[in-house]
Amino acid sequence: MTETEASTAEKPWPVRTVARKIGDWVHRLGSVWVEGQVTQVSSRPNTQTAFLTLRDPSADVSMSVTCPNWLIREMEPPLREGASVVVHAKPSFFFGRGTLSLRADQIRAVGIGELLARIERLKKLLTAEGLFSAQRKRPIPFLPKGVGLITGRASAAERDVLANAQGRWPHVRIKVLNTAVQGSQAVPQVMRALRIFDADPEIDVIVIARGGGSVEDLLPFSDEALCRAVSAAGTPVVSAIGHEPDTPLLDYVADLRCSTPTDAGKRIVPDLVEETERVRQMRDRGRRALHGWVDTQTRLLTQLRSRPSLADPLGPVQRRQDDVEVHRERGRRAMLTLLAKDQAELASSRARLTALGPAATLSRGYAVVQFVDAEGNLQVLRSVSEVEAGAQLRVRVGDGAIGAVAEGEQG
């Protein structure tokens, strides 16, 4: 089988063929400029080649770099672990071991000015994305049931946070995870501790603390990956990095920025003495307010009890009852007077009607005779000569009955 044939399960390539093909492809790549953070330097005096490991500070990726030993010795300031550098190198594949590395011919240390410029560019980027917005800030619990502290092992920052927090509130529960706070391992270790505390239901606030240092020492706390991890955390995060003038990007993305670790210990928990005094003052204010309210209500009740309606509650009712009796008696007398007057008028009218009516005349023996004249009109008979022959007569008798007789029947 030739090396130009395709590799199959029945006709696989040997390791040397694969290694040679990879080497040929890598060696065709040109030189590149690579930026990273030095994590390991090996430069022995009697050797021609120096070895170092270059790491990406924002990801868990690293590559081996080889260079002439004099290149390391001539650098000013001397190259040390944790330094940020820019390397001009060509990728190289070692056929025997099957490893990939970079062969460097230039190494340049990244200066403070360049570091600050890069931090400023990253700050503008994160600001434009809204990671520093005040609306994203979460409130710190007044009295957290648990505090997660991320700091260096046996550091002054750890002692300051613990001493001040426990001095203010002795019963506070603080869990500590020690990590690297500078160098190439700081960012991944801090992010790992952040994930552990964020997933812990007993942790209400996370504190990331570190003492002061140079710009290079504090560089991990301006790392983009760490800033985004803090922004995405569900638990409020407190930044306590360096001293007052130190402002890594973590200060802007955290929910609370403290000037020093000592300040963080004072701000994550309340002061027991102050809170006890505040409770006492509020209790006194409540007592005075309650006494004042009781006194006011007592005076109001006294005023209400002194009013006539409460001093003699039946008196007004009795007086109104007497008034009702008086008015009822007046109404009864007025009604009787009106009835008597109407009865008298009715009797007088009845007497006049009786006197003027025909019944009274008939009862005295008189009769009223009416006849119908030739024209058919009803006339009162005054004499017999007024009645024509054949006319009909109507006679009103004493009991009010009326009869009709012919002329020949008159007696």
Side-chain angles (χ1 to χ4, degrees):
M1 181 187 67
T2 64
E3 295 182 358
T4 58
E5 296 179 358
S7 174
T8 63
E10 291 74 17
K11 297 179 178 181
W13 285 348
V15 175
R16 65 181 181 276
T17 301
V18 176
R20 185 177 300 110
K21 288 181 175 293
I22 294 176
D24 293 341
W25 184 84
V26 170
H27 292 155
R28 287 196 298 269
L29 296 177
S31 299
V32 293
W33 286 98
V34 183
E35 178 186 0
Q37 191 176 40
V38 177
T39 61
Q40 185 178 2
V41 180
S42 177
S43 176
R44 298 180 181 179
N46 298 325
T47 59
Q48 297 295 324
T49 304
F51 300 91
L52 59 125
T53 302
L54 202 61
R55 179 185 176 279
D56 189 327
S58 298
D60 192 13
V61 178
S62 61
M63 291 191 69
S64 298
V65 180
T66 61
C67 65
N69 207 348
W70 60 265
L71 194 61
I72 300 295
R73 291 196 301 267
E74 291 181 359
M75 289 190 64
E76 286 294 338
L79 186 64
R80 59 185 179 86
E81 295 182 3
S84 296
V85 296
V86 175
V87 176
H88 185 262
K90 180 178 177 58
S92 177
F93 183 78
F94 290 92
F95 179 79
R97 296 190 301 271
T99 58
L100 181 67
S101 65
L102 298 175
R103 179 67 180 179
D105 54 21
Q106 295 184 51
I107 300 178
R108 299 178 183 178
V110 178
I112 298 299
E114 179 63 20
L115 289 176
L116 294 178
R118 293 180 182 180
I119 292 175
E120 187 63 25
R121 289 195 295 269
L122 178 58
K123 179 180 178 182
K124 292 180 179 179
L125 173 63
L126 299 181
T127 301
E129 294 183 12
L131 266 65
F132 301 159
S133 175
Q135 286 73 21
R136 297 175 62 94
K137 306 296 183 183
R138 292 153 295 192
I140 305 301
F142 171 73
L143 183 59
K145 60 183 179 182
V147 177
L149 176 59
I150 302 174
T151 186
R153 184 181 302 277
S155 62
E158 178 180 358
R159 292 192 299 270
D160 290 344
V161 173
L162 294 177
N164 284 276
Q166 293 173 350
R168 290 170 61 84
W169 197 270
H171 301 290
V172 62
R173 298 175 57 189
I174 301 179
K175 294 182 180 180
V176 181
L177 284 179
N178 295 121
T179 64
V181 291
Q182 69 181 53
S184 60
Q185 297 300 316
V187 173
Q189 290 185 15
V190 171
M191 291 178 60
R192 188 180 305 111
L194 180 66
R195 289 193 297 269
I196 293 174
F197 281 146
D198 194 28
D200 192 342
E202 296 183 355
I203 300 299
D204 287 343
V205 62
I206 301 172
V207 180
I208 302 177
R210 186 202 189 283
S214 63
V215 176
E216 296 91 335
D217 293 338
L218 301 182
L219 192 60
F221 300 100
S222 293
D223 184 81
E224 180 179 0
L226 178 59
C227 290
R228 294 187 182 278
V230 170
S231 177
T235 306
V237 178
V238 176
S239 174
I241 306 300
H243 303 298
E244 180 64 33
D246 300 323
T247 53
L249 297 185
L250 181 63
D251 286 351
Y252 297 98
V253 74
D255 299 290
L256 177 64
R257 186 249 178 184
C258 297
S259 57
T260 61
T262 300
D263 185 36
K266 294 178 179 179
R267 299 181 66 177
I268 58 176
V269 291
D271 187 358
L272 179 60
V273 177
E274 293 179 359
E275 297 305 319
T276 302
E277 177 63 20
R278 186 175 290 112
V279 169
R280 187 191 64 79
Q281 293 177 359
M282 295 183 67
R283 184 183 299 166
D284 292 341
R285 289 173 55 187
R287 183 184 299 107
R288 290 193 299 269
L290 181 59
H291 287 172
W293 180 83
V294 171
D295 293 341
T296 301
Q297 298 303 316
T298 301
R299 289 193 298 271
L300 179 60
L301 287 175
T302 302
Q303 294 175 2
L304 293 175
R305 291 174 59 187
S306 63
R307 294 180 180 179
S309 58
L310 292 179
D312 184 17
L314 296 180
V317 176
Q318 186 64 42
R319 288 191 293 272
R320 297 298 181 270
Q321 183 179 3
D322 295 341
D323 293 342
V324 170
E325 291 296 334
V326 170
H327 289 296
R328 185 169 60 180
E329 183 61 25
R330 289 178 181 177
R332 188 179 65 82
R333 289 197 300 269
M335 183 60 69
L336 292 176
T337 301
L338 181 60
L339 290 176
K341 179 181 178 182
D342 292 343
Q343 287 177 352
E345 291 179 355
L346 182 60
S348 176
S349 299
R350 182 182 296 171
R352 287 198 301 273
L353 290 174
T354 301
L356 296 177
T361 302
L362 294 176
S363 65
R364 292 197 299 271
Y366 296 93
V368 178
V369 180
Q370 294 177 326
F371 69 94
V372 180
D373 58 11
E375 297 178 356
N377 296 323
L378 188 62
Q379 302 291 336
V380 178
L381 180 63
R382 293 181 176 84
S383 65
V384 176
S385 62
E386 295 179 351
V387 182
E388 298 178 356
Q392 291 183 352
L393 301 179
R394 291 182 178 180
V395 181
R396 185 180 299 277
V397 295
D399 57 358
I402 297 176
V405 296
E407 180 181 0
E409 296 177 357
Q410 297 180 13

